[in-house]
Amino acid sequence: MVAIAGVTTSPAGAETAAKPKSFVENFDKLDRKRWFISDGWTNGDHQNCTWSKEQVSVGGGVVKLGFAKQKLKDRDYICGEIQTNKRFGYGVYEARFKAVPGSGLNTGFFSYIGPVHKQPHDEIDFEVLGKDPSKVQLNQYVNGKSVGGEKLVDVPGGAEQGFNDYAFVWEKDRIRWYLNGELVGEETDPAKLPSHPSKIYLSLWGSDTLKDWMGTFADPGTGVAAEIDRVAFTAPGEPCQFPESVACKVELNVSQ
């Protein structure tokens, strides 16, 4: 990942920092008190699409984040992203989604806070690079620096073939990443642990320039969309909220 790949440049007016409360979002609708739709900007020159509310839709219990060829401002494509209005700290972060294949595309689930929020850039990532959706990339940023090594983990059957459960457990002294309930990554080095409450993001975007990382961009030829079935956050000390939740099987340090 690049230092600006997941960064939003949206206005900060709706963003708040408060003691996080647990929630489960099943997307029967898009609760605008919880979710903000990115619309009308890009994250930098590396991104070849403009965020558009037209590429965010809800139906059948899923939210779809699309990518389509349509000129908007100075980009030839439009793409979809949602982000929480509130910021969340230590706890269990979970998303169940189906990613999009295609070289030059990126389906992401991550936490982020940064200069646009008048905070240091901290981030914890799951990213499916469409050039090889058989894997998901794990990474994290501390104060604007990638410190996670961009670890690649196999997704059984492929991240684009069906829904998979992605989760990270963020504590003061470690991060643990889980795929379909199995531990696939861990970080305990204090210098590599984010510490600032962050917003939750889910996005689909493309790049013409990040070829070494994301592959050479290939026009999908038709509109495509990532599908998000569920997003959840469980705060330390609170019970797990659904049977498949990683929060049901891990212990959290509640003294943080």
Side-chain angles (χ1 to χ4, degrees):
M1 182 172 183
V2 295
I4 52 178
V7 178
T8 175
T9 54
S10 63
E15 296 151 4
T16 58
K19 184 177 180 180
K21 294 183 179 179
S22 300
F23 74 85
V24 178
E25 179 65 80
N26 290 309
F27 294 115
D28 297 321
K29 62 177 182 178
L30 191 66
D31 184 353
R32 297 303 291 270
K33 292 182 179 179
R34 176 172 293 150
W35 298 102
F36 179 85
I37 299 175
S38 300
D39 185 55
W41 68 87
T42 70
N43 289 357
D45 292 341
H46 65 284
Q47 184 174 319
N48 69 0
C49 57
T50 301
W51 300 125
S52 171
K53 62 185 178 182
E54 294 182 7
Q55 292 301 300
V56 178
S57 61
V58 178
V62 301
V63 61
K64 292 185 177 181
L65 305 178
F67 184 96
K69 190 168 187 177
Q70 179 179 317
K71 191 171 182 61
L72 181 60
K73 297 188 174 180
D74 61 346
R75 300 294 194 272
D76 291 329
Y77 298 88
I78 52 178
C79 49
E81 178 182 72
I82 58 173
Q83 52 181 283
T84 55
N85 286 311
K86 293 184 178 181
R87 304 173 192 177
F88 300 83
Y90 300 127
V92 180
Y93 294 70
E94 302 179 86
R96 179 172 176 80
F97 65 88
K98 181 165 64 173
V100 171
S103 187
L105 296 178
N106 182 316
T107 305
F109 160 51
F110 55 97
S111 62
Y112 168 77
I113 201 72
V116 69
H117 314 108
K118 299 181 180 180
Q119 293 288 316
H121 175 181
D122 278 3
E123 188 171 338
I124 304 172
D125 301 306
F126 276 106
E127 293 176 288
V128 177
L129 307 180
K131 68 178 184 180
D132 183 6
S134 70
K135 302 179 186 298
V136 64
Q137 180 179 286
L138 322 179
N139 195 33
Q140 77 268 22
Y141 278 74
V142 174
N143 198 22
K145 295 182 180 181
S146 173
V147 295
E150 300 181 346
K151 179 181 178 181
L152 291 171
V153 173
D154 289 333
V155 180
E160 86 286 16
Q161 293 298 323
F163 289 94
N164 290 277
D165 293 297
Y166 304 85
F168 60 86
V169 182
W170 181 20
E171 298 175 280
K172 185 177 181 179
D173 58 355
R174 63 177 168 173
I175 304 169
R176 287 171 283 174
W177 287 263
Y178 289 82
L179 174 59
N180 295 327
E182 299 297 322
L183 181 67
V184 293
E186 184 171 15
E187 182 62 72
T188 59
D189 183 344
K192 297 182 179 181
L193 299 176
S195 58
H196 297 83
S198 301
K199 300 174 71 177
I200 302 170
Y201 290 76
L202 297 111
S203 64
L204 173 64
W205 60 281
S207 176
D208 294 321
T209 60
L210 301 176
K211 298 178 182 179
D212 289 345
W213 179 46
M214 289 172 54
T216 300
F217 176 75
D219 187 330
T222 186
V224 295
E227 298 183 41
I228 319 299
D229 179 62
R230 179 177 59 226
V231 178
F233 171 78
T234 306
E238 297 191 11
C240 68
Q241 303 175 89
F242 53 95
E244 303 87 358
S245 175
V246 167
C248 299
K249 61 186 292 184
V250 301
E251 293 185 3
L252 290 176
N253 182 356
V254 297
S255 63
Q256 300 175 122

